[in-house]
Amino acid sequence: MTDLRVATRTGGETTLDANAVEGLRSSLRGRLLPPLDPAYEEARKVNNGMHDRRPALIVQAAGVADVLAVVRFAGAHDLLLAVRGGGHGVAGFGTTEGGVVLDLGRMRGVRVDPGSRTVRAEGGCTWGDLDHATNAFGLATTGGIVSTTGIGGLTLGGGMGYLARRCGLTCDNLLSADVVTADGRFVTCDADRDSDLFWAIRGGGGNFGVVTCFELRLHDVDGIVGGPTFYRIDEEVLRRYRDFILDAPEELGAIFAFVKAPPLPFLPPDWHGKPAAAVIACWSGEAGRAETALSPLGDLGDVVGSHVGSMPYSAINRLFDPLLPPGLRQYWKGSFVDELGDEAIEAHVEPGSKVPTIESGTHFFPLDGACQRVAPDATAFAYRDVDFATVIAAAWHERSDDASIVRWVRDYDEALRPFSQPAGYVNFLAEEDRDRVPVSYGDNYRRLVHVKSRYDPRNLFRINHNIPPA
């Protein structure tokens, strides 16, 4: 091992001598990968292929002791530190140029307690890991709609999914968390212990420490009825969806999307690749009420094809997986919508009908029901009075398409601004949207700054939608 040049927290560089690096290596049970290690090239990749960065060091932690060692090492040497859970963050915060990456991907233990209806899951778990474990007991909690998404980033940002209307956001179901703080301490926070930290991590992102374990509340979900229905695009289908979902039983999760119709066997071949509207439904209530709850889907518009049926909850969270393999180039813009009015719907239809690739789409996540029964100041996630969170999510294969597809997203986002909040769900914001962070926390931002100042006064955890300390 030779000396290494490593980026510092404040934007410069420092030299780590070989002895310091070897000292870190000797304290780990996991792997330390410098750029010359044969495993480095694969280890440095994150889900979004737009972020082709080269860290100076990657540590694949095997447990909490490794996390403690890396955080203390980065703090002592004032190093630039990125923390990676699932590596799905579209803004690329799971990696860094020239700094240190703390990768939790080997920490994927899950323990379900069916008696208390809780689960403890380590910080490197994906939603596929958690769903698989809880499904065996007929239990689930609100999670992502792609199974390879990490539970860490999604939970810390808020957490939306098919169960949100019934069960609340993922962060609303967080009961406790084990956290390694910037000063190298290990704390367990909940409503009674380090309660200000517990408040902040429920929506405040990765600003406050490394969460090594999440304890989440589970709900009875013993199978669901759901799947996608595709429609011919027009204004009426989105209007009818809006009116339908906001009055539907809370056991129904239904995400609307503008997409290109994928080559699925239940869709006519002449529709493959054509612009379409879609509703992906998930009924998690009593099986006997499913038909009544789902029957209005056939009346939302001109149906092109549908594949709705019984399946495990874990299966519906895998539906998008084949379309979104690792390495796709991705660029997103997201906003909160107080009320999806007719003018806003008109503004969506023209750009929504020009979705550039089969992997891309505009998605509408309803945030009524249980999400709105939580007070705006009860968690860091402040926007409890909006009806929808929208995201224009572009994904594509070729670098040569970057300019035209990014322009489609930006122009679409610009057209929606008169009808959207200046705030957005932090997990949907692009890397360049850092100026939107304060407004995206609303009245909670000042308190978040106070908590940040207490737990991370030097801003070690800065590679995120950052909340700087005072």
Side-chain angles (χ1 to χ4, degrees), residues 131-142:
D131 287 342
H132 173 75
T134 60
N135 184 72
F137 299 94
L139 299 168
T141 196
T142 306

Side-chain angles (χ1 to χ4, degrees), residues 100 125 175 200 204 208 213 240 271 342:
V100 176
C125 287
L175 299 174
F208 308 97
C213 190
R240 289 171 183 149
W271 269 88
D342 289 349

Side-chain angles (χ1 to χ4, degrees), residues 247-451:
D247 287 331
E250 292 178 6
E251 298 94 329
L252 180 64
I255 298 167
F256 184 94
F258 290 118
V259 296
K260 278 186 183 291
L264 297 170
F266 62 88
L267 294 177
D270 60 342
W271 269 88
H272 294 176
K274 286 188 176 180
V279 173
I280 305 91
C282 173
W283 172 258
S284 63
E286 296 175 14
R289 297 169 55 206
E291 183 176 355
T292 300
L294 295 167
S295 62
L297 293 174
D299 300 324
L300 298 184
D302 183 4
V303 174
V304 175
S306 182
H307 190 68
V308 175
S310 299
M311 66 182 80
Y313 171 69
S314 56
I316 198 165
N317 280 341
R318 297 195 301 267
L319 290 185
F320 286 99
D321 289 7
L323 280 177
L324 298 170
L328 287 177
R329 306 176 73 76
Q330 298 192 48
Y331 182 79
W332 299 3
K333 289 284 189 180
S335 296
F336 289 122
V337 179
D338 285 328
E339 182 180 339
L340 189 60
D342 289 349
E343 286 185 273
I345 289 172
E346 292 171 10
H348 268 287
V349 170
E350 193 271 334
S353 65
K354 296 179 179 177
V355 172
T357 66
I358 283 178
E359 297 86 359
S360 302
T362 302
H363 302 273
F364 298 72
F365 289 78
L367 292 179
D368 60 325
C371 301
Q372 295 184 349
R373 289 196 291 275
V374 177
D377 60 354
T379 67
F381 188 99
Y383 282 82
R384 300 294 185 164
D385 56 352
V386 296
D387 284 341
F388 296 96
T390 61
V391 60
I392 308 162
W396 65 100
H397 292 269
E398 301 300 330
R399 184 188 297 269
S400 58
D401 292 328
D402 286 4
S404 61
I405 293 178
V406 168
R407 175 52 54 197
W408 172 76
V409 175
R410 289 176 174 170
D411 288 349
Y412 192 164
D413 178 64
E414 187 70 30
L416 298 179
R417 288 194 181 180
F419 314 106
S420 305
Q421 287 268 1
Y425 174 41
V426 291
N427 286 347
F428 290 164
L429 299 184
E431 186 180 16
E432 68 207 32
D433 287 329
R434 295 172 190 253
D435 60 331
R436 297 177 66 192
V437 171
V439 70
S440 293
Y441 289 110
D443 293 340
N444 289 341
Y445 185 72
R446 182 176 297 180
R447 182 177 174 188
L448 285 165
V449 171
H450 176 76
V451 179

Side-chain angles (χ1 to χ4, degrees), residues 1 20-30 32-34 37:
M1 173 68 73
V21 178
E22 286 302 325
L24 174 61
R25 186 197 299 275
S26 68
S27 70
L28 303 172
R29 292 194 65 189
L32 185 149
L33 306 176
D37 192 287

